[in-house]
Amino acid sequence: MPKHFLTILDMSRDEAHSVLLRAKAMKDGDIRTDLLAGKTLLLIFEKASTRTRVSFEVGVRHLGGDPVFITSRDSQLGRDEPLKDTARVLSRYADGLIVRTFGQEKLETLVQFGTIPVINALTDEYHPCQIMSDVLTMYERTPDLESLKVAWVGDGNNMAHSFINAAATFGFSLALACPAGYRPDPGIMEKARSLGAEITLTDDPAEAVAGAHYVNTDVWASMGQEEEQKKREAAFAGYAVDEKLMAKAAPGACFMHCLPAHRGEEVSEGVFEGPASIVWDQAENRLHMQKAIIEWVYSN
């Protein structure tokens, strides 16, 4: 049976920690292997991307494989072929699928009807590769992850959901500040808490950020939500991560963002470009973490 990576909880705690250490080693040693020699991985992107596409394409090549990029415009994905038929056909051509799409159920269909590994490069519900990379970025600075308080400010979206799963896996405490109507899925929070995660939810950004070692946010209107921009601007008024909010965090706290960022909206220019910002390390670490995740997927 193939191994899949649809959420962080697909890995055991031990596996996730091993992948974290492997990603750090791959970064430090600029490690490249022939793990994927002779293999072709299809990058199926129904949502556009810069970092996700380039980091995965480069990562696959660093592991000796051949990436093939597909969008809904140049395939049957956006037409009338059932996804279950696409899964069965692609399984006969390639050795793995890296998918960036809308609903998580699409990945589950690919898993159900396909016979090759599926990796979640983003859905509306989860963004596990990004958050695993963010954990690597924190680990580089504070290896004792269980001592950390991590704050999330803004939309209870796919990023928030994967941070919730990461809190259950890596043991840091997580404080989320989300306005009414934009809170994380209660079922995802309940599952993480049942696994021992320490999670708090508030509508007060200052409360969430107080004493935090890492402060995270994301755009207020993600891809596909552009028509909600004005409505979301009103809902998220007061949720911008600016200098005043960062001052409530722990001394030496770092600012994180998955990018692209809307300066002057969810984050001030001063915070984004300031000394607390570690967003470029986050972006780089996508490459190293995704290589480690691919290696885990293809290991016996």
Side-chain angles (χ1 to χ4, degrees):
M1 293 290 293
K3 193 185 297 183
H4 308 286
F5 185 65
L6 305 190
T7 80
I8 291 172
L9 297 184
D10 286 336
M11 294 178 178
S12 69
R13 287 189 177 95
D14 287 346
E15 287 173 325
H17 279 83
S18 293
V19 168
L20 175 64
L21 295 177
R22 179 59 173 164
K24 180 71 166 64
M26 294 182 98
K27 178 179 182 177
D28 291 345
D30 191 22
I31 292 174
R32 310 184 187 203
T33 75
D34 59 0
L35 172 71
L36 300 179
K39 289 182 168 60
T40 300
L41 272 63
L42 304 182
L43 279 68
I44 302 175
F45 279 42
E46 293 190 286
K47 289 188 175 185
S49 168
T50 300
R51 281 154 292 277
T52 301
R53 176 181 177 178
V54 174
S55 58
F56 264 118
E57 284 202 22
V58 172
V60 168
R61 288 191 171 96
H62 279 190
L63 299 178
D66 294 308
V68 174
F69 183 72
I70 304 173
T71 73
S72 54
R73 292 188 302 274
D74 47 34
S75 72
Q76 294 295 330
L77 290 169
R79 301 190 180 97
D80 58 356
E81 182 175 56
L83 189 59
K84 62 183 181 180
D85 294 358
T86 299
R88 288 178 281 205
V89 170
L90 296 182
S91 292
R92 299 194 177 207
Y93 294 154
D95 302 284
L97 304 176
I98 298 169
V99 186
R100 183 177 172 94
T101 187
F102 294 89
Q104 186 80 4
E105 71 278 359
K106 291 192 174 185
L107 299 186
E108 293 165 357
T109 298
L110 291 170
V111 167
Q112 180 181 357
F113 290 94
T115 57
I116 55 178
V118 177
I119 295 174
N120 183 358
L122 175 141
T123 65
D124 290 342
E125 287 77 22
Y126 298 102
H127 200 356
C129 292
Q130 175 70 56
I131 301 307
M132 287 290 289
S133 304
D134 292 347
V135 172
L136 171 60
T137 308
M138 296 188 295
Y139 176 79
E140 289 179 309
R141 289 161 176 79
T142 44
D144 183 8
L145 293 172
E146 294 186 359
S147 69
L148 297 178
K149 177 183 178 181
V150 177
W152 175 265
V153 179
D155 194 3
N157 59 10
N158 52 3
M159 288 282 293
H161 290 161
S162 286
F163 256 119
I164 290 167
N165 286 348
T169 299
F170 293 100
F172 54 80
S173 67
L174 178 66
L176 303 111
C178 308
Y182 298 92
R183 291 174 178 165
D185 184 312
I188 293 173
M189 293 186 62
E190 181 180 350
K191 175 65 179 297
R193 284 172 170 155
S194 75
L195 296 172
E198 181 184 337
I199 301 171
T200 59
L201 177 62
T202 178
D203 60 3
D204 182 359
E207 180 183 341
V209 170
H213 304 94
Y214 293 90
V215 179
N216 294 265
T217 192
D218 193 5
V219 295
W220 292 342
S222 297
M223 193 177 304
Q225 299 170 334
E226 290 83 1
E227 73 283 356
E228 301 177 28
Q229 180 68 32
K230 294 301 181 184
K231 176 184 176 184
R232 285 173 171 265
E233 285 178 4
F236 290 101
Y239 281 77
V241 179
D242 55 17
E243 290 84 345
K244 181 179 178 181
L245 187 62
M246 284 296 296
K248 298 182 183 300
C254 296
F255 170 75
M256 303 177 73
H257 195 301
C258 62
L259 304 180
H262 295 165
R263 297 167 172 85
E265 192 170 296
E266 77 275 2
V267 59
S268 69
E269 176 78 12
V271 169
F272 187 84
E273 294 289 356
S277 177
I278 55 174
V279 300
W280 311 119
D281 289 342
Q282 285 178 263
E284 177 189 347
N285 283 341
R286 293 293 302 280
L287 170 64
H288 310 298
M289 177 53 73
Q290 284 157 191
K291 286 165 62 175
I293 290 170
I294 291 170
E295 192 174 75
W296 173 79
V297 167
Y298 286 89
S299 63
N300 295 325

